Amino acid sequence: MLAPNSDLMLVYAAFAVLALFIASGLAAALHRRKNVAFLIGLPLLAIDTALFLSVFTGGSSTTLLGIFEMYPFSALFAALFMASGTLIYLISYRYSNDFTGFSALFGFMLLGVIGVAASTSLVTTVVGIELVALSTVFMIILDGKSRVEPAVKLFILGAIAISVLLFAVAMMFSYDPSLLLSGFTASGPAPGSYILTLAIILFIAGFSFEASLFPFNLWVPDVYQGAPTNITAMLAGMNKKVAFVAIMTTFFVLLSRYSATFSPIFELLAILTMFFGNIMAFVQKDVKRLFAYSSISQAGYILIGIAVADSFGIEASIVQIAAHMFMVIGAFSVVLWLESKGLRSIDDYSGLGYRSKFAGISLSIFMLSMAGVPPLLGFTGKLLLFSSAVDKGMLILAGLGILNSFMSIYYYGKVIGSMYSKKGVSVGSGKLFANGYIIAAVAVCLAVVVLFGLYPGPIIHAASAASLSLFGM
Amino acid sequence: MIPEFSIIFAALTLGIVLAALLEKRFSYYIGVAATAIVLIMVLLIVAYEYILGANVMAQTYAYIPQFGVHVSFIATPISAVLLAMTAIVLFAAALSSGREETSKGAAVLMLLFGLAAIGLFSSSNLILFFIFWDVGVVATFFMISYMGSANRRSAALKFLVYSLGASAALLLGIILIYFGTPVHSFNIAYIISHGSLIPIGIQESIFVLLFVAFMIKMPIFPLHSWMADAYTESSTQGSMLISGVLSKFGAYGMLLLFLMMPIAAKYSTYILALAAISAFYAVLVAINQSDIKRLISYISMLDMSIILVGIASITVIGREGSIYGMLAHGLGIALLFLVAGSIEGMFGSRSIKFIRGVVEGSASTAYSFMLGIFSITGVPLTVGFIADLLIFIGAFSAFGLYGLIPLGAILLAGGLLYLVVSRSIVNGRNGTEAPYLPTAAQKAGYSVLLLFIFAFGMLPFILLKIIGS
């Protein structure tokens, strides 16, 4: 057991390492040293993951500079985001057209992510979200001229989202000028006030852009398909999850008194999002688009736990967020590599299982996990989500969720079936071999998905600690 | 004390890993060795339960401690019989697959399927039950789509769609059971003893959900249309495992459902009617089939309907009969599909029109087919006789003469099958030589299955003592 003092030191160390990463990224960008940036940056990110993880296991609560609060919830998400950041960084090195620029922006993006997770006031949350969105836009543009269209799409939608959010923040200002997350519960109006209901709706709309919830998610497939695939992995694995963290801190700390108002809205959104994602995924021919729609449906599942609006529901959402993070980053890593070999559509994937065992097996496992097939981590998350809904008496939500979850196996099954069909083998140009970066990233994701799927105890325990600390704020 | 379950799971896991890593020429031997170890261990479990009359249990490990879910395996009297059936069919399938024909993928999938089946029949809580259920579905999906015949893709997809429906209903039902029990629990033994404490309204929803899920898997009319394609388009070994073992996932679940939910008694008459309709439907469709594997598929569906009659009777003897029926069906139908595979090899076609005079080409195949039919239709001395006898005694004591109506379907099926035997198996060879004869491996497969069909048919007291305890 660590003394409180050493916990504080750990938090400082974690932020210092992040600052070091940002500095090294900037320096590398100025000097155009790609290899140096990677060799320094990757260990820094890995170390920071470990530091935030030990902050989490320390279990204490520390305030930093008055704007960050490290408590188990934020520390767990900081560690998760650092881990997924490490993986993104790893796969981007080989495939990013301007890796040094990417490194510099990635540091700011991580700062924004940690800012949202550890936010104590609405201002920090909004600034964090904006930091993440803007860095992402520039990362996409940096890849080349052909990327302007998705970047502009993302930029405009991000701008709309942020203005909607700011409007909501302005409404909150009239009740509590400090804008602190934890101070509002006492000073706010009684549930049912019109201004507050409007603010809740605006918050939901603003966050829905980022979290890709129906009907604010029409941009998702275009941007996911248009962006470089390593950025797509980041969009699905990190940016979207950041919005969920912001939803959790905003609604369960700031607005926790009004759960009767927002819970039905989230329930409806969850149902619509799941159906939208799954139904659209049925007809996709392009693998990146298929995963884009599948990740929309996953956002719907995550929302089930938020609609349930108690600590069990949030615990389930956290497990599902962690699960989807690793599944989708792993899947997009394989897609990224295959794309560089010219394989894009489901038809191109025909016979892939015979050309590369690595791609066949790892993609199959990721897709089965996304579909919620036991004993993989995706199943654990869904089991918890549906259980939490049944526990709260939301039987329709649970039933539709389960229906969707099994509908999704159909289109994943189609891809898997195509990978193992013998039709394309003779046409295909022979064996494919992955490089070390992709193999390393995929191996980590596979290990998380399979090992925690077989033994989910620790991850559920961690999620439950984080969720309880969120409600204790 | 030998840790039987640990050895079984270690053998299967090791087999999967080795078959995946080593070259193709070892696959057959790995499959046979792993399944042989499983068979020996399962027979040990059966022997232990026969002598001591106590359940064999495995060590418990925490899985999701927050929900009280543990990885623990138990061989209850019901599961001991099903484990025996699974191990025998698995061993026969591995043995009969042949050294040249067994690919790496086939060996891996067969062992994975075996792992799922053994795990499902011995799991002590519903979460493990669901996990192994889905692993079984995934293994079967790959087994059909990877190893099957011409229309395997569409058959696999059809199977998947039906299975997904079943899995969805099953998962929702399990979650409802968990929150319905007064002390939230997934433990099967606890739910069986405390099932009556679940509120009636929730019991009804659970019953409907799980009944549909298990009905799809058994399969029972009208949710059976995946069955004929899946059984027909699979490879021989795939058909043996799917028809012999996978259908028991549903039947075993159905049995548990009737034990867990006391409300089932309210519906038993309707379920008898459904089972009778399903039985007659299966026979009438079977009469119309020209493909020998499709014919056997519908005979299999008939037998599953008869098993449902035994379960629905809610009498001790009917239940014992249905357990015995699962054993009989598993062994008998696996034998028939194995023989059908050999016959297909001999004639290059599955069409009954082209199959003539099997007995002249390969006497062992012809007689195995006949003995398999004896077992399926319940001729004395075979395991099927004991099953039908107990089931219909149970049905008669529960429903009176109405309970005997499904017997008519068995009689019809008997007539149909003897017609097939006389036309295609013993008569009508018009001089053409069969290009291919069954291999020694296939004959070894016949003999393993026949040995147990007659052993359990002549010595029924062994398993009945276990079931009765």
Side-chain angles (χ1 to χ4, degrees):
Chain A
M1 199 64 196
L2 294 162
N5 237 350
S6 63
D7 275 353
L8 190 62
M9 292 307 292
L10 273 177
V11 175
Y12 279 127
F15 277 91
V17 171
L18 181 58
L20 211 58
F21 177 77
I22 297 174
S24 75
L26 280 176
L30 292 176
H31 293 278
R32 294 271 153 205
R33 291 285 177 79
K34 187 178 160 180
N35 298 348
V36 178
F38 182 71
L39 286 177
I40 297 177
L42 193 70
L44 282 181
L45 287 175
I47 291 168
D48 223 11
T49 308
L51 283 174
F52 277 118
L53 207 56
S54 44
V55 171
F56 170 72
T57 47
S60 65
S61 171
T62 320
T63 312
L64 198 74
L65 303 175
I67 51 169
F68 296 136
E69 168 99 13
M70 293 308 282
Y71 55 108
F73 176 82
S74 58
L76 178 66
F77 271 108
L80 280 175
F81 283 127
M82 278 297 166
S84 51
T86 315
L87 295 171
I88 302 283
Y89 202 65
L90 187 63
I91 58 171
S92 297
Y93 174 63
R94 181 75 179 269
Y95 294 98
S96 182
N97 278 344
D98 183 357
F99 184 70
T100 51
F102 170 80
S103 307
L105 289 166
F106 199 57
F108 289 108
M109 138 114 197
L110 285 175
L111 183 64
V113 168
I114 306 287
V116 172
S119 142
T120 55
S121 83
L122 277 175
V123 178
T124 322
T125 304
V126 171
V127 170
I129 284 194
E130 191 55 18
L131 201 52
V132 172
L134 273 183
S135 323
T136 312
V137 170
F138 284 108
M139 282 181 202
I140 296 177
I141 285 191
L142 275 182
D143 200 73
K145 277 200 181 121
S146 60
R147 309 291 188 186
V148 170
E149 193 199 324
V152 169
K153 250 184 193 151
L154 190 61
F155 176 72
I156 291 177
L157 283 156
I160 297 174
I162 210 74
S163 48
V164 172
L165 274 182
L166 281 176
F167 199 23
V169 172
M171 289 179 175
M172 304 306 288
F173 186 78
S174 61
Y175 295 111
D176 178 15
S178 78
L179 290 178
L180 285 179
L181 289 179
S182 50
F184 183 71
T185 322
S187 60
S193 136
Y194 289 120
I195 302 276
L196 200 93
T197 310
L198 186 59
I200 286 176
I201 291 172
L202 287 175
F203 268 126
I204 292 178
F207 289 133
S208 297
F209 278 106
E210 307 285 342
S212 68
L213 307 178
F214 186 82
F216 305 101
N217 53 11
L218 298 172
W219 60 275
V220 169
D222 293 342
V223 173
Y224 276 31
Q225 193 185 17
T229 308
N230 57 329
I231 306 292
T232 311
M234 192 182 86
L235 280 168
M238 298 177 70
N239 292 30
K240 207 168 77 180
K241 310 297 184 263
V242 172
F244 277 109
V245 175
I247 289 177
M248 286 179 188
T249 54
T250 311
F251 285 92
F252 295 101
V253 182
L254 183 76
L255 299 166
S256 54
R257 234 173 103 193
Y258 310 100
S259 66
T261 313
F262 64 74
S263 168
I265 305 179
F266 278 128
E267 187 178 353
L268 185 67
L269 283 184
I271 292 171
L272 292 175
T273 310
M274 288 186 295
F275 272 105
F276 176 78
N278 277 328
I279 290 172
M280 294 300 289
F282 270 100
V283 293
Q284 297 310 315
K285 299 259 184 296
D286 185 280
V287 178
K288 259 169 99 174
R289 270 186 107 80
L290 180 103
F291 278 119
Y293 281 111
S294 112
S295 83
I296 288 177
S297 69
Q298 299 281 341
Y301 303 132
I302 296 172
L303 211 53
I304 292 178
I306 292 171
V308 168
D310 60 10
S311 66
F312 186 21
I314 297 300
E315 173 189 331
S317 285
I318 294 174
V319 173
Q320 179 68 9
I321 286 176
H324 187 239
M325 205 178 242
F326 289 101
M327 293 181 305
V328 84
I329 290 179
F332 271 124
S333 305
V334 181
V335 172
L336 168 68
W337 159 58
L338 291 174
E339 200 182 47
S340 72
K341 306 276 179 195
L343 305 181
R344 285 163 197 279
S345 70
I346 297 178
D347 293 337
D348 293 341
Y349 279 40
S350 179
L352 179 68
Y354 303 101
R355 295 174 66 189
S356 164
K357 282 213 171 86
F358 167 72
I361 291 172
S362 58
L363 266 187
S364 298
I365 289 181
F366 289 133
M367 283 193 281
L368 290 175
S369 176
M370 284 183 200
V373 172
L376 302 166
L377 187 54
F379 166 69
T380 315
K382 283 186 181 170
L383 175 68
L384 291 172
L385 283 169
F386 301 145
S387 303
S388 71
V390 172
D391 193 21
K392 198 72 187 279
M394 298 166 141
L395 284 185
I396 295 176
L397 183 62
L400 291 178
I402 291 177
L403 177 72
N404 264 287
S405 156
F406 286 97
M407 257 162 61
S408 69
I409 302 185
Y410 179 81
Y411 57 82
Y412 295 124
K414 220 167 56 177
V415 180
I416 296 176
S418 161
M419 287 198 300
Y420 285 99
S421 83
K422 293 201 164 97
K423 241 190 291 171
V425 185
S426 51
V427 187
S429 48
K431 300 261 177 206
L432 297 168
F433 294 99
N435 59 51
Y437 306 101
I438 296 289
I439 291 181
V442 171
V444 172
C445 295
L446 271 185
V448 171
V449 170
V450 174
L451 293 181
F452 281 120
L454 287 172
Y455 186 61
I459 206 161
I460 295 175
H461 187 74
S464 134
S467 148
L468 289 175
S469 80
L470 179 73
F471 278 83
M473 266 283 277
Chain B
M1 191 62 224
I2 309 168
E4 288 96 350
F5 280 111
S6 310
I7 295 179
I8 288 174
F9 288 112
L12 287 171
T13 319
L14 198 68
I16 292 171
V17 173
L18 284 181
L21 293 180
L22 294 183
E23 283 171 45
K24 177 179 174 287
R25 61 198 160 100
F26 297 111
S27 299
Y28 174 69
Y29 299 106
I30 293 170
V32 172
T35 50
I37 294 172
V38 172
L39 180 59
I40 292 167
M41 286 301 134
V42 167
L43 291 180
L44 266 180
I45 292 177
V46 171
Y48 181 82
E49 300 219 335
Y50 176 70
I51 295 164
L52 294 180
N55 292 341
V56 175
M57 274 191 257
Q59 196 143 13
T60 302
Y61 301 97
Y63 180 61
I64 311 179
Q66 291 86 343
F67 282 171
V69 178
H70 299 277
V71 177
S72 65
F73 297 100
I74 180 168
T76 60
I78 304 173
S79 42
V81 175
L82 288 170
L83 286 177
M85 185 274 294
T86 307
I88 295 164
V89 173
L90 207 58
F91 179 64
L95 195 63
S96 64
S97 61
R99 200 176 58 218
E100 302 296 321
E101 294 82 3
T102 310
S103 68
K104 280 168 75 165
V108 168
L109 288 173
M110 189 165 64
L111 294 177
L112 184 66
F113 181 83
L115 188 72
I118 300 266
L120 181 122
F121 293 137
S122 57
S123 53
S124 68
N125 63 59
L126 289 175
I127 288 292
L128 277 192
F129 181 91
F130 180 76
I131 289 176
F132 285 114
W133 172 289
D134 258 19
V135 173
V137 168
V138 171
T140 310
F141 169 72
F142 280 110
M143 216 144 62
I144 302 172
S145 66
Y146 180 77
M147 307 190 299
S149 55
N151 295 326
R152 62 181 197 276
R153 289 281 296 277
S154 70
L157 223 47
K158 204 168 178 182
F159 165 78
L160 193 66
V161 170
Y162 272 92
S163 297
L164 301 184
S167 292
L170 178 62
L171 181 58
L172 192 56
I174 288 176
I175 295 177
L176 278 177
I177 291 180
Y178 178 75
F179 289 105
T181 46
V183 180
H184 294 348
S185 173
F186 284 120
N187 191 302
I188 293 174
Y190 175 84
I191 299 168
I192 288 176
S193 57
H194 293 75
S196 52
L197 299 178
I198 299 175
I200 294 295
I202 299 183
Q203 273 197 45
E204 275 176 353
S205 346
I206 294 172
F207 183 77
V208 170
L209 283 169
L210 293 194
F211 188 76
V212 169
F214 297 139
M215 213 168 118
I216 291 176
K217 263 287 168 317
M218 280 179 79
I220 297 294
F221 176 84
L223 297 174
H224 63 279
S225 76
W226 62 271
M227 172 207 67
D229 287 342
Y231 290 5
T232 311
E233 298 300 332
S234 304
S235 63
T236 303
Q237 277 67 36
S239 303
M240 288 168 75
L241 292 176
I242 300 171
S243 63
V245 182
L246 187 77
S247 59
K248 303 306 171 303
F249 285 23
Y252 174 62
M254 196 65 95
L255 195 62
L256 288 184
L257 175 64
F258 275 73
L259 290 171
M260 286 190 296
M261 295 295 129
I263 199 168
K266 212 172 102 185
Y267 300 114
S268 62
T269 320
Y270 303 109
I271 294 168
L272 171 74
L274 181 69
I277 292 171
S278 179
F280 278 101
Y281 174 88
V283 176
L284 294 179
V285 177
I287 289 173
N288 227 356
Q289 298 305 317
S290 59
D291 180 323
I292 189 161
K293 279 179 94 173
R294 283 190 97 84
L295 172 75
I296 299 172
S297 306
Y298 283 101
I299 297 301
S300 159
M301 180 177 159
L302 158 72
D303 238 28
M304 294 312 287
S305 312
I306 301 299
I307 290 171
L308 185 62
V309 172
I311 297 174
S313 73
I314 324 198
T315 53
V316 173
I317 196 155
R319 188 182 306 137
E320 288 179 359
S322 64
I323 299 167
Y324 223 84
M326 291 184 218
L327 173 76
H329 174 260
L331 300 180
I333 214 76
L335 179 63
L336 287 184
F337 272 114
L338 179 56
V339 171
S342 307
I343 292 178
E344 188 190 347
M346 285 167 71
F347 294 90
S349 165
R350 291 197 299 254
S351 174
I352 295 177
K353 265 191 292 185
F354 295 109
I355 301 170
R356 287 288 179 263
V358 176
V359 72
E360 288 169 39
S362 163
S364 62
T365 306
Y367 292 122
S368 300
F369 190 71
M370 284 190 234
L371 292 174
I373 288 175
F374 287 170
S375 177
I376 285 288
T377 48
V379 170
L381 289 188
T382 63
V383 64
F385 169 67
I386 312 290
D388 287 356
L389 185 67
L390 294 176
I391 287 175
F392 284 106
I393 292 174
F396 183 73
S397 64
F399 308 110
L401 280 175
Y402 291 113
L404 300 184
I405 292 174
L407 254 178
I410 298 187
L411 291 179
L412 271 178
L416 168 67
L417 288 168
Y418 294 126
L419 209 65
V420 170
V421 167
S422 77
R423 220 169 33 198
S424 297
I425 306 291
V426 289
N427 292 323
R429 194 66 177 275
N430 34 12
T432 48
E433 282 297 304
Y436 160 90
L437 289 176
T439 60
Q442 281 167 339
K443 288 180 186 164
Y446 304 160
S447 47
V448 169
L449 289 169
L450 280 173
L451 171 72
F452 284 102
I453 284 176
F454 282 101
F456 289 133
M458 292 188 219
L459 311 167
F461 54 85
I462 299 177
L463 290 181
L464 288 179
K465 185 189 169 203
I466 297 175
I467 300 172
S469 66

